[in-house]
Amino acid sequence: ETGVTQTPRHLVMGMTNKKSLKCEQHLGHNAMYWYKQSAKKPLELMFVYNFKEQTENNSVPSRFSPECPNSSHLFLHLHTLQPEDSALYLCASSHPDDTGELFFGEGSRLTVL
Amino acid sequence: AQRVTQPEKLLSVFKGAPVELKCNYSYSGSPELFWYVQYSRQRLQLLLRHISRESIKGFTADLNKGETSFHLKKPFAQEEDSAMYYCALSTGGFKTIFGAGTRLFVKA
């Protein structure tokens, strides 16, 4: 499959659970991003990886732990989340020479009970 | 601080009417600005960017550095233009900041 694929599309978890979101891109890009989209708020940049190295951590709480094993895969590990962390988590990728054009996945809708 | 402001949460126009979605930004450096669009049940995608200065689907946007604005315009709205529109500011590197979005509804 081409483009940016995110799994799962929907996730419900309790505050004590550990879960992970996965993102995969087949566009040949080297930069990958996690954004958080909460209701009535702008998209918030969380993390950026370029060639597997983290280049941005936008003061994200440690209960969110990203992992980028290679340029095609990006994970967001979730642990002891709070109900206010419920949101749509969007993954994106870009070519490092054109970081303005982001290619987004469809998102993972997370609900924390 | 870097910020993108879209003052209208919802904009409703009739088909064939002109439409303007407002975007203002705050950034002390040289900005690179974009409009992204999300149609119903589709993913967020790039619509246009200021450096290309081209019209996409009849939409244009001009960067006005004096007014720090990048408004999106179309002279004659179509029903298929109904979507969520996000203005975005790239501050270099890998940081792109988005506005809160404006939902455009084009009525028949």
PDB file of all heavy atoms in Angstrom, chain A residues 6-7 26 29 40 42 46 48 51 54-56 61 65-66 68-69 71 79-80 82-83 86-87 94 97 99-101:
ATOM      1  N   GLN A   6      -1.803   4.223   9.215  1.00  0.00           N
ATOM      2  CA  GLN A   6      -1.769   4.211  10.672  1.00  0.00           C
ATOM      3  C   GLN A   6      -2.655   3.090  11.211  1.00  0.00           C
ATOM      4  O   GLN A   6      -3.769   2.887  10.723  1.00  0.00           O
ATOM      5  CB  GLN A   6      -2.273   5.543  11.236  1.00  0.00           C
ATOM      6  CG  GLN A   6      -1.328   6.698  10.989  1.00  0.00           C
ATOM      7  CD  GLN A   6      -1.782   7.965  11.698  1.00  0.00           C
ATOM      8  OE1 GLN A   6      -2.052   8.986  11.061  1.00  0.00           O
ATOM      9  NE2 GLN A   6      -1.857   7.903  13.025  1.00  0.00           N
ATOM     10  N   THR A   7      -2.151   2.415  12.220  1.00  0.00           N
ATOM     11  CA  THR A   7      -2.940   1.388  12.909  1.00  0.00           C
ATOM     12  C   THR A   7      -2.701   1.490  14.412  1.00  0.00           C
ATOM     13  O   THR A   7      -1.589   1.874  14.840  1.00  0.00           O
ATOM     14  CB  THR A   7      -2.553  -0.029  12.441  1.00  0.00           C
ATOM     15  OG1 THR A   7      -1.133  -0.202  12.600  1.00  0.00           O
ATOM     16  CG2 THR A   7      -2.935  -0.279  11.004  1.00  0.00           C
ATOM     17  N   HIS A  26       5.245   4.449   2.750  1.00  0.00           N
ATOM     18  CA  HIS A  26       5.889   3.838   1.584  1.00  0.00           C
ATOM     19  C   HIS A  26       6.125   4.877   0.506  1.00  0.00           C
ATOM     20  O   HIS A  26       5.950   4.621  -0.678  1.00  0.00           O
ATOM     21  CB  HIS A  26       4.990   2.708   1.055  1.00  0.00           C
ATOM     22  CG  HIS A  26       4.767   1.617   2.054  1.00  0.00           C
ATOM     23  ND1 HIS A  26       5.698   0.641   2.303  1.00  0.00           N
ATOM     24  CD2 HIS A  26       3.726   1.381   2.888  1.00  0.00           C
ATOM     25  CE1 HIS A  26       5.234  -0.172   3.237  1.00  0.00           C
ATOM     26  NE2 HIS A  26       4.040   0.250   3.611  1.00  0.00           N
ATOM     27  N   HIS A  29      10.087   8.680   2.074  1.00  0.00           N
ATOM     28  CA  HIS A  29      10.452   9.846   2.868  1.00  0.00           C
ATOM     29  C   HIS A  29      11.377   9.467   4.012  1.00  0.00           C
ATOM     30  O   HIS A  29      11.408   8.313   4.446  1.00  0.00           O
ATOM     31  CB  HIS A  29       9.193  10.515   3.440  1.00  0.00           C
ATOM     32  CG  HIS A  29       8.331  11.118   2.392  1.00  0.00           C
ATOM     33  ND1 HIS A  29       6.994  11.419   2.607  1.00  0.00           N
ATOM     34  CD2 HIS A  29       8.588  11.510   1.128  1.00  0.00           C
ATOM     35  CE1 HIS A  29       6.488  11.957   1.525  1.00  0.00           C
ATOM     36  NE2 HIS A  29       7.433  12.024   0.600  1.00  0.00           N
ATOM     37  N   LYS A  40     -11.469  21.109  18.882  1.00  0.00           N
ATOM     38  CA  LYS A  40     -11.468  22.575  18.953  1.00  0.00           C
ATOM     39  C   LYS A  40     -10.092  23.174  19.226  1.00  0.00           C
ATOM     40  O   LYS A  40      -9.990  24.303  19.692  1.00  0.00           O
ATOM     41  CB  LYS A  40     -12.459  23.077  20.010  1.00  0.00           C
ATOM     42  CG  LYS A  40     -13.887  22.623  19.752  1.00  0.00           C
ATOM     43  CD  LYS A  40     -14.826  23.063  20.850  1.00  0.00           C
ATOM     44  CE  LYS A  40     -16.233  22.519  20.582  1.00  0.00           C
ATOM     45  NZ  LYS A  40     -17.165  22.829  21.665  1.00  0.00           N
ATOM     46  N   PRO A  42      -5.894  23.540  17.575  1.00  0.00           N
ATOM     47  CA  PRO A  42      -5.069  23.299  16.385  1.00  0.00           C
ATOM     48  C   PRO A  42      -4.267  22.020  16.523  1.00  0.00           C
ATOM     49  O   PRO A  42      -4.035  21.540  17.635  1.00  0.00           O
ATOM     50  CB  PRO A  42      -4.128  24.517  16.370  1.00  0.00           C
ATOM     51  CG  PRO A  42      -4.718  25.513  17.280  1.00  0.00           C
ATOM     52  CD  PRO A  42      -5.501  24.751  18.290  1.00  0.00           C
ATOM     53  N   MET A  46       4.058  16.942  18.045  1.00  0.00           N
ATOM     54  CA  MET A  46       4.579  16.244  19.219  1.00  0.00           C
ATOM     55  C   MET A  46       6.050  15.888  19.024  1.00  0.00           C
ATOM     56  O   MET A  46       6.911  16.294  19.795  1.00  0.00           O
ATOM     57  CB  MET A  46       3.773  14.978  19.475  1.00  0.00           C
ATOM     58  CG  MET A  46       2.302  15.208  19.732  1.00  0.00           C
ATOM     59  SD  MET A  46       1.387  13.659  19.891  1.00  0.00           S
ATOM     60  CE  MET A  46       1.962  13.069  21.497  1.00  0.00           C
ATOM     61  N   VAL A  48       9.289  14.789  15.977  1.00  0.00           N
ATOM     62  CA  VAL A  48       9.762  14.672  14.604  1.00  0.00           C
ATOM     63  C   VAL A  48      11.005  13.803  14.594  1.00  0.00           C
ATOM     64  O   VAL A  48      11.878  13.953  15.468  1.00  0.00           O
ATOM     65  CB  VAL A  48      10.118  16.041  13.985  1.00  0.00           C
ATOM     66  CG1 VAL A  48      10.544  15.861  12.523  1.00  0.00           C
ATOM     67  CG2 VAL A  48       8.959  17.008  14.073  1.00  0.00           C
ATOM     68  N   PHE A  51      15.676  10.717   9.439  1.00  0.00           N
ATOM     69  CA  PHE A  51      16.634   9.630   9.326  1.00  0.00           C
ATOM     70  C   PHE A  51      16.798   8.911  10.663  1.00  0.00           C
ATOM     71  O   PHE A  51      17.916   8.658  11.136  1.00  0.00           O
ATOM     72  CB  PHE A  51      17.995  10.143   8.835  1.00  0.00           C
ATOM     73  CG  PHE A  51      18.020  10.517   7.384  1.00  0.00           C
ATOM     74  CD1 PHE A  51      17.875  11.846   7.007  1.00  0.00           C
ATOM     75  CD2 PHE A  51      18.186   9.557   6.408  1.00  0.00           C
ATOM     76  CE1 PHE A  51      17.901  12.204   5.655  1.00  0.00           C
ATOM     77  CE2 PHE A  51      18.213   9.910   5.057  1.00  0.00           C
ATOM     78  CZ  PHE A  51      18.071  11.236   4.688  1.00  0.00           C
ATOM     79  N   GLN A  54      15.628  11.702  16.437  1.00  0.00           N
ATOM     80  CA  GLN A  54      14.606  12.645  16.888  1.00  0.00           C
ATOM     81  C   GLN A  54      15.138  14.069  16.790  1.00  0.00           C
ATOM     82  O   GLN A  54      16.204  14.381  17.334  1.00  0.00           O
ATOM     83  CB  GLN A  54      14.201  12.328  18.335  1.00  0.00           C
ATOM     84  CG  GLN A  54      12.985  13.133  18.803  1.00  0.00           C
ATOM     85  CD  GLN A  54      12.572  12.796  20.232  1.00  0.00           C
ATOM     86  OE1 GLN A  54      12.668  13.634  21.112  1.00  0.00           O
ATOM     87  NE2 GLN A  54      12.111  11.590  20.444  1.00  0.00           N
ATOM     88  N   THR A  55      14.404  14.923  16.109  1.00  0.00           N
ATOM     89  CA  THR A  55      14.829  16.311  15.955  1.00  0.00           C
ATOM     90  C   THR A  55      13.924  17.289  16.695  1.00  0.00           C
ATOM     91  O   THR A  55      14.287  18.440  16.883  1.00  0.00           O
ATOM     92  CB  THR A  55      14.868  16.704  14.460  1.00  0.00           C
ATOM     93  OG1 THR A  55      13.559  16.533  13.913  1.00  0.00           O
ATOM     94  CG2 THR A  55      15.852  15.831  13.690  1.00  0.00           C
ATOM     95  N   GLU A  56      12.724  16.848  17.047  1.00  0.00           N
ATOM     96  CA  GLU A  56      11.812  17.717  17.778  1.00  0.00           C
ATOM     97  C   GLU A  56      11.095  16.903  18.847  1.00  0.00           C
ATOM     98  O   GLU A  56      10.640  15.794  18.584  1.00  0.00           O
ATOM     99  CB  GLU A  56      10.730  18.319  16.848  1.00  0.00           C
ATOM    100  CG  GLU A  56      11.199  19.350  15.875  1.00  0.00           C
ATOM    101  CD  GLU A  56      11.325  20.749  16.459  1.00  0.00           C
ATOM    102  OE1 GLU A  56      10.803  20.994  17.564  1.00  0.00           O
ATOM    103  OE2 GLU A  56      11.975  21.579  15.813  1.00  0.00           O
ATOM    104  N   PRO A  61       4.682  15.096  27.405  1.00  0.00           N
ATOM    105  CA  PRO A  61       4.854  14.314  28.643  1.00  0.00           C
ATOM    106  C   PRO A  61       5.461  12.936  28.370  1.00  0.00           C
ATOM    107  O   PRO A  61       5.224  12.342  27.303  1.00  0.00           O
ATOM    108  CB  PRO A  61       3.423  14.183  29.175  1.00  0.00           C
ATOM    109  CG  PRO A  61       2.665  15.300  28.546  1.00  0.00           C
ATOM    110  CD  PRO A  61       3.298  15.543  27.216  1.00  0.00           C
ATOM    111  N   SER A  65       5.869   7.911  24.405  1.00  0.00           N
ATOM    112  CA  SER A  65       7.248   7.552  24.086  1.00  0.00           C
ATOM    113  C   SER A  65       7.333   7.155  22.613  1.00  0.00           C
ATOM    114  O   SER A  65       6.792   6.129  22.210  1.00  0.00           O
ATOM    115  CB  SER A  65       7.684   6.387  24.980  1.00  0.00           C
ATOM    116  OG  SER A  65       8.958   5.934  24.614  1.00  0.00           O
ATOM    117  N   PRO A  66       8.008   7.956  21.790  1.00  0.00           N
ATOM    118  CA  PRO A  66       8.098   7.615  20.371  1.00  0.00           C
ATOM    119  C   PRO A  66       9.252   6.660  20.107  1.00  0.00           C
ATOM    120  O   PRO A  66      10.211   6.571  20.877  1.00  0.00           O
ATOM    121  CB  PRO A  66       8.364   8.971  19.726  1.00  0.00           C
ATOM    122  CG  PRO A  66       9.161   9.713  20.756  1.00  0.00           C
ATOM    123  CD  PRO A  66       8.655   9.243  22.094  1.00  0.00           C
ATOM    124  N   CYS A  68      11.400   5.185  16.466  1.00  0.00           N
ATOM    125  CA  CYS A  68      11.532   5.204  15.010  1.00  0.00           C
ATOM    126  C   CYS A  68      12.648   4.238  14.619  1.00  0.00           C
ATOM    127  O   CYS A  68      13.809   4.630  14.528  1.00  0.00           O
ATOM    128  CB  CYS A  68      11.843   6.620  14.527  1.00  0.00           C
ATOM    129  SG  CYS A  68      11.783   6.813  12.732  1.00  0.00           S
ATOM    130  N   PRO A  69      12.308   2.977  14.397  1.00  0.00           N
ATOM    131  CA  PRO A  69      13.346   1.976  14.113  1.00  0.00           C
ATOM    132  C   PRO A  69      13.993   2.128  12.739  1.00  0.00           C
ATOM    133  O   PRO A  69      15.133   1.725  12.552  1.00  0.00           O
ATOM    134  CB  PRO A  69      12.579   0.650  14.213  1.00  0.00           C
ATOM    135  CG  PRO A  69      11.149   1.016  13.932  1.00  0.00           C
ATOM    136  CD  PRO A  69      10.963   2.399  14.467  1.00  0.00           C
ATOM    137  N   SER A  71      13.391   4.554   8.694  1.00  0.00           N
ATOM    138  CA  SER A  71      12.747   5.725   8.103  1.00  0.00           C
ATOM    139  C   SER A  71      11.323   5.465   7.644  1.00  0.00           C
ATOM    140  O   SER A  71      10.609   6.408   7.321  1.00  0.00           O
ATOM    141  CB  SER A  71      13.577   6.225   6.912  1.00  0.00           C
ATOM    142  OG  SER A  71      14.809   6.728   7.340  1.00  0.00           O
ATOM    143  N   HIS A  79       1.521   4.985  27.795  1.00  0.00           N
ATOM    144  CA  HIS A  79       1.544   4.341  29.113  1.00  0.00           C
ATOM    145  C   HIS A  79       1.010   5.297  30.161  1.00  0.00           C
ATOM    146  O   HIS A  79       1.455   6.438  30.240  1.00  0.00           O
ATOM    147  CB  HIS A  79       2.983   3.920  29.437  1.00  0.00           C
ATOM    148  CG  HIS A  79       3.127   3.287  30.779  1.00  0.00           C
ATOM    149  ND1 HIS A  79       2.270   2.319  31.242  1.00  0.00           N
ATOM    150  CD2 HIS A  79       4.022   3.499  31.758  1.00  0.00           C
ATOM    151  CE1 HIS A  79       2.642   1.950  32.453  1.00  0.00           C
ATOM    152  NE2 HIS A  79       3.699   2.648  32.799  1.00  0.00           N
ATOM    153  N   THR A  80       0.097   4.800  30.982  1.00  0.00           N
ATOM    154  CA  THR A  80      -0.542   5.583  32.049  1.00  0.00           C
ATOM    155  C   THR A  80      -1.045   6.930  31.545  1.00  0.00           C
ATOM    156  O   THR A  80      -0.707   8.001  32.071  1.00  0.00           O
ATOM    157  CB  THR A  80       0.394   5.793  33.260  1.00  0.00           C
ATOM    158  OG1 THR A  80       1.593   6.454  32.857  1.00  0.00           O
ATOM    159  CG2 THR A  80       0.717   4.472  33.912  1.00  0.00           C
ATOM    160  N   GLN A  82      -3.894   9.873  30.548  1.00  0.00           N
ATOM    161  CA  GLN A  82      -4.974  10.554  31.241  1.00  0.00           C
ATOM    162  C   GLN A  82      -6.155  10.731  30.282  1.00  0.00           C
ATOM    163  O   GLN A  82      -5.958  10.758  29.058  1.00  0.00           O
ATOM    164  CB  GLN A  82      -4.491  11.928  31.731  1.00  0.00           C
ATOM    165  CG  GLN A  82      -3.253  11.864  32.605  1.00  0.00           C
ATOM    166  CD  GLN A  82      -3.514  11.077  33.869  1.00  0.00           C
ATOM    167  OE1 GLN A  82      -4.496  11.319  34.570  1.00  0.00           O
ATOM    168  NE2 GLN A  82      -2.637  10.128  34.182  1.00  0.00           N
ATOM    169  N   PRO A  83      -7.353  10.892  30.802  1.00  0.00           N
ATOM    170  CA  PRO A  83      -8.510  11.103  29.907  1.00  0.00           C
ATOM    171  C   PRO A  83      -8.313  12.285  28.951  1.00  0.00           C
ATOM    172  O   PRO A  83      -8.785  12.232  27.809  1.00  0.00           O
ATOM    173  CB  PRO A  83      -9.673  11.347  30.879  1.00  0.00           C
ATOM    174  CG  PRO A  83      -9.285  10.579  32.100  1.00  0.00           C
ATOM    175  CD  PRO A  83      -7.794  10.714  32.213  1.00  0.00           C
ATOM    176  N   SER A  86      -7.130  11.842  25.317  1.00  0.00           N
ATOM    177  CA  SER A  86      -8.026  11.368  24.256  1.00  0.00           C
ATOM    178  C   SER A  86      -8.006  12.376  23.118  1.00  0.00           C
ATOM    179  O   SER A  86      -8.224  13.583  23.326  1.00  0.00           O
ATOM    180  CB  SER A  86      -9.452  11.224  24.801  1.00  0.00           C
ATOM    181  OG  SER A  86      -9.496  10.268  25.838  1.00  0.00           O
ATOM    182  N   ALA A  87      -7.723  11.869  21.912  1.00  0.00           N
ATOM    183  CA  ALA A  87      -7.569  12.765  20.762  1.00  0.00           C
ATOM    184  C   ALA A  87      -7.364  11.922  19.511  1.00  0.00           C
ATOM    185  O   ALA A  87      -7.289  10.691  19.573  1.00  0.00           O
ATOM    186  CB  ALA A  87      -6.372  13.697  20.949  1.00  0.00           C
ATOM    187  N   SER A  94       7.511  13.420   5.368  1.00  0.00           N
ATOM    188  CA  SER A  94       7.915  14.382   4.350  1.00  0.00           C
ATOM    189  C   SER A  94       9.295  14.023   3.832  1.00  0.00           C
ATOM    190  O   SER A  94      10.067  13.317   4.494  1.00  0.00           O
ATOM    191  CB  SER A  94       7.924  15.819   4.898  1.00  0.00           C
ATOM    192  OG  SER A  94       9.029  16.013   5.766  1.00  0.00           O
ATOM    193  N   ASP A  97      14.055  17.368   2.040  1.00  0.00           N
ATOM    194  CA  ASP A  97      14.332  18.582   1.272  1.00  0.00           C
ATOM    195  C   ASP A  97      13.080  19.414   1.046  1.00  0.00           C
ATOM    196  O   ASP A  97      13.153  20.495   0.473  1.00  0.00           O
ATOM    197  CB  ASP A  97      14.951  18.229  -0.081  1.00  0.00           C
ATOM    198  CG  ASP A  97      16.335  17.611   0.070  1.00  0.00           C
ATOM    199  OD1 ASP A  97      16.970  17.860   1.116  1.00  0.00           O
ATOM    200  OD2 ASP A  97      16.759  16.881  -0.828  1.00  0.00           O
ATOM    201  N   THR A  99      10.239  19.925   3.637  1.00  0.00           N
ATOM    202  CA  THR A  99       9.532  19.643   4.892  1.00  0.00           C
ATOM    203  C   THR A  99       8.225  20.396   4.989  1.00  0.00           C
ATOM    204  O   THR A  99       7.476  20.209   5.930  1.00  0.00           O
ATOM    205  CB  THR A  99      10.424  19.998   6.085  1.00  0.00           C
ATOM    206  OG1 THR A  99      10.814  21.372   5.967  1.00  0.00           O
ATOM    207  CG2 THR A  99      11.650  19.119   6.122  1.00  0.00           C
ATOM    208  N   GLY A 100       7.949  21.266   4.018  1.00  0.00           N
ATOM    209  CA  GLY A 100       6.681  21.971   4.059  1.00  0.00           C
ATOM    210  C   GLY A 100       5.509  21.107   3.641  1.00  0.00           C
ATOM    211  O   GLY A 100       4.400  21.296   4.110  1.00  0.00           O
ATOM    212  N   GLU A 101       5.751  20.159   2.748  1.00  0.00           N
ATOM    213  CA  GLU A 101       4.642  19.327   2.310  1.00  0.00           C
ATOM    214  C   GLU A 101       4.600  18.056   3.143  1.00  0.00           C
ATOM    215  O   GLU A 101       5.435  17.162   3.003  1.00  0.00           O
ATOM    216  CB  GLU A 101       4.735  18.963   0.832  1.00  0.00           C
ATOM    217  CG  GLU A 101       3.527  18.131   0.386  1.00  0.00           C
ATOM    218  CD  GLU A 101       3.367  18.011  -1.099  1.00  0.00           C
ATOM    219  OE1 GLU A 101       4.265  18.443  -1.848  1.00  0.00           O
ATOM    220  OE2 GLU A 101       2.321  17.471  -1.521  1.00  0.00           O
TER     221      GLU A 101
END
